[in-house]
Amino acid sequence: MSHQRYPSHDAVKEPHMVSLKVLRLSRPSLVAQYPLQPPPSRSTAHHRPPPIPASLAYSPDAADNGSTTSHHSSNPSPFILSPIVNLPPSFGSAYVGETFSCTLCANHDITPLVPSDGLTKTTNLLPTTPQVSKTIRDVRIEAEMKTPNSPTVTRLALHPDEQKPAADTLAPGETLQRVVNFDLKEEGNHVLAVTVSYYEATDVSGRVRTFRKLYQFICKASLVVRTKPGPLTVGSKGARRWVLEAQLENCSEDAMQLERVGLEVERGLVYRDCNSWGSTGGKPVLHPGEVEQVCFVVEEEKDGEDGGVEETDGKVVFGVLGIGWRTEMGNRGFLSTGKLGTRHVKPKVAVS
Amino acid sequence: MEQPQDSIPKGHNRTRSAVKATRPRSSTKGPLDADDAPLASPLSPQQATRMLPLGLGRPQSPGLRRSGASSPLPRSATQSPAPRRLAPRPKDFSYLLRPEIYHPLTPLNVPPPFRNSPKQPSADTPIPDLLARGQFRAAAIAATQALTGPGAPNPADHVRIFELLYTRLACLTLIDATGLAAQEVKTLEDLNSAYYVDELTGLHLVPWELRVLNVRLQAMGFGDPRRAVMSYYDLAREARVRVAEATARHDNSARELWKDRLADLGIRVAGALVEMDDLTGAAHHLASLRDREDGKLAMSKALLWLHLGDVESARRCVRTEKAGEKAERIVAALCDMADGEYEAALGKWRELREVSDDEMVGVNMGVCLLYVGKMQEGRALLEGLVDAGRSSHTLLFNLTTMYELCTERARTLKMKLSEKVAAMDESPNGWEKANADFKL
């Protein structure tokens, strides 16, 4: 996520006392480990010693006395995955259908008065009054998202809500942390704009200061859906039937597991899911570039009084196809197609 | 694939190198080829056993040739009617003693508080001490020096040579230099070659630990991850033979050892599949393994499902299999995180933390705190873990990530953290850390 600092709103050229740092909160990831046996010893002891502790993802429970063969150990060594998690190491890729989460941290940065290693640049210190005590309060964070196809920006809700009383001060070294979520629905350039404002008070005066940072990222499509409707022979009660096929292609860089694929049909229609994996487990996993084909039979509901589905200009609208998936560590994605339908409408069969 | 022969410089070896004369080309056997390695001969046909599941299947019929595998001695061999064949020349492993195959290790990616610490070992510290103190970079260097320096072992002393080589390669993987290890391991070429087999006893000269490590490293070094799966199966075939032999001579401890090794290989195959990103393959493979009743298999399966994103299956597998109460609670908390329910997960980690001193529980709780907007509490928690002497890569990585979030001047905090960790006691958990651990 590239970012730039927006030209500061205030005329003062002094450095800000508050800094803003962000981290995209994708799901944390399980840490991999490669357990190693200690070097071969000449004594031919006929049991396998526990692995070198440093080759495990974390040190075992102290109560286990270092023994990873213990039944109490949470580490499934020698398996490659361990239950300890890492924060996201990088921004990664953003995909349509996912929820973008990001944490925003407004920090009262401490100006190092005593350079700890002698390397601190003196330009960081306020040149005239380095010892002046300033109070920071009324820190506010606002976040907006600019999407490619919308002329306006979306104001994002902040979590946890603004519980802090407005007059609360942010002590040196303290952080005001908020989390924002945004459902990604469009491909292309997104800009997250974060505005931080705060009141900077000295003993004798005070002022409101504001700065704004922009973070730009590109959202890509992760699932391409191709659909093909086709007619079927008339059903048992004389109801018209169609088949709706869809190909779901994973065009992201990660494997995904389809969680559910379903139709939301229009009034007067029912459908049957022809995909056996829906209920019986064994959900399909799509590696990058792989395609899963799904199929539904859509049928007119003949029991209803109004008898069947509305037609406009010889076109029958089936409804929308919704696809939900999960990626690494359970990250969710969901998208639904536009209204699907067909022009190849067989004439209504006259009921004799 | 690259021809392994190319990796041996041909220039200076003017002496009639026994190595080249006797070491055959790397075998490129397929599953249907006849296998002439003596180790494999008891099992026939090979093809039938090659792809058996790695679970502890019924032991195969014991080898006929070596009922007492450890007993044959040269002395008794000379009494046999064909003495000329049984006086093999000692094998020459001098190709592992060449300095040019070992990469120099730079101290530059070690943070100064470690580099300049009085705890840095002196050059003559014995390798076992270095390992016990968690000074793996020094141990890797010492192993190379022992292999290539003035006191280098006799080229025929395979026990010493392989012990040092294992130490070298293992330590490289511990200091995040697995790439170098994957290059250096290529010198071993094909461990299935008959050259590595003792002609008298039929036993493999390379210690098991090195053969197992060699599988992953060579797969990386030759850029062929699939090779790892195949090679683990090769080892498993031998382990199964040893189980059968030990059973036949009523050697229970040897049998348990080999069964243990066989089970270990089964899990490692799953790991190799995960490294290949074949997660469904890994899941199928884990499902084929026999549970050893220690809850580890159920936990492994659950973690694999989570990694794949199938939270439902993760929950189900710790519920239906005997994973143990603690494992169930851990997986439940991880599942909440996978569902994005960080508040719920936080509650579970908090409860676990009250009953357990596990570093993992503390770190995961700290991570959860960040997701729910309580980073300051999370940071304090992780700092507390460091104060308590914990220093896993994950703990340090997560803590430095928080440092990066909570100030523009994270470098100062990172340096302070590295000083704190450098002041810790040396331990086999690993003392010296790298810059990357502190994101420096």
Side-chain angles (χ1 to χ4, degrees), chain B residues 85-331:
Chain B
R85 280 190 62 244
L86 293 163
R89 272 178 302 167
K91 305 224 170 172
D92 181 355
F93 294 104
S94 56
Y95 59 97
L96 298 173
L97 306 178
R98 290 174 297 126
E100 64 267 27
I101 56 180
Y102 301 103
H103 299 76
L105 298 179
T106 169
L108 289 177
N109 52 15
V110 175
F114 293 93
R115 224 188 309 156
N116 307 326
S117 166
K119 291 179 175 154
Q120 279 295 343
S122 60
D124 56 352
T125 314
I127 291 176
D129 291 2
L130 294 174
L131 296 177
R133 292 190 211 162
Q135 291 165 331
F136 301 118
R137 189 177 55 92
I141 294 170
T144 304
Q145 280 166 352
L147 280 167
T148 61
N154 183 314
D157 184 356
H158 58 85
V159 175
R160 178 76 182 139
I161 290 174
F162 291 133
E163 185 189 328
L164 288 168
L165 188 61
Y166 180 77
T167 305
R168 164 79 182 177
L169 297 173
C171 287
L172 286 180
T173 68
L174 292 176
I175 59 168
D176 203 19
T178 309
L180 291 185
Q183 292 309 310
E184 296 182 5
V185 80
K186 287 182 181 178
T187 321
L188 281 173
E189 298 199 5
D190 184 10
L191 284 190
N192 287 332
S193 147
Y195 192 71
Y196 287 109
V197 177
D198 188 315
E199 287 157 24
L200 286 176
T201 62
L203 292 174
H204 210 284
L205 296 174
V206 181
W208 186 257
E209 296 81 358
L210 179 54
R211 295 172 71 190
V212 173
L213 176 60
N214 171 70
V215 169
R216 174 165 175 258
L217 293 181
Q218 283 210 347
M220 288 174 75
F222 291 113
D224 182 10
R226 221 161 262 285
R227 180 192 174 114
V229 176
M230 200 179 71
S231 308
Y232 283 135
Y233 270 97
D234 278 343
L235 290 178
R237 182 154 41 96
E238 182 182 337
R240 215 175 272 118
V241 173
R242 302 280 176 239
V243 171
E245 284 172 355
T247 311
R249 61 171 193 268
H250 305 291
D251 184 345
N252 274 337
S253 55
R255 195 186 62 192
E256 287 312 306
L257 173 71
W258 283 104
K259 277 176 136 184
D260 234 18
R261 286 177 169 173
L262 186 57
D264 176 77
L265 289 172
I267 301 292
R268 285 183 196 272
V269 168
L273 290 168
V274 171
E275 280 199 279
M276 285 163 58
D277 256 340
D278 185 359
L279 301 183
T280 32
H284 280 296
H285 176 74
L286 280 187
S288 77
L289 297 183
R290 184 176 298 177
D291 197 350
R292 311 190 90 209
E293 312 275 310
D294 55 4
K296 284 193 176 189
L297 189 60
M299 178 63 124
S300 305
K301 287 180 189 170
L303 293 178
L304 183 60
W305 287 124
L306 275 171
H307 188 60
L308 186 61
D310 193 339
V311 183
E312 226 175 273
S313 297
R315 282 204 174 95
R316 193 177 48 232
C317 101
V318 285
R319 241 193 348 253
T320 55
E321 300 185 24
K322 284 166 273 175
E325 191 224 341
K326 187 178 172 193
E328 220 172 298
R329 291 171 72 182
I330 290 167
V331 171

Side-chain angles (χ1 to χ4, degrees), chain A residues 21 26-27 35 37 42 53 59 68 74 77 83 85-87 107 109-110 175 177 257 287 326 329, chain B residues 163 166 268 277 296 310 338-339 358-359 364 370-371 373 375-376 390 394 398 404-405 407-409 429:
Chain A
K21 305 286 276 181
S26 322
R27 290 282 191 275
Q37 288 289 296
R42 282 145 205 258
S59 56
T68 47
S74 59
S77 150
V85 296
N86 258 350
L87 287 168
N107 311 300
D109 258 344
I110 316 165
T175 295
Q177 191 202 357
Q257 183 175 46
H287 288 274
R326 309 287 292 257
M329 202 50 197
Chain B
E163 185 189 328
Y166 180 77
R268 285 183 196 272
D277 256 340
K296 284 193 176 189
D310 193 339
D339 280 339
D358 200 322
E359 178 180 8
N364 288 1
L370 173 69
Y371 278 79
M375 181 178 62
Q376 304 217 55
R390 309 291 195 167
T394 309
N398 287 328
E404 286 177 347
L405 274 175
T407 173
E408 202 80 73
R409 302 185 184 85
N429 289 327

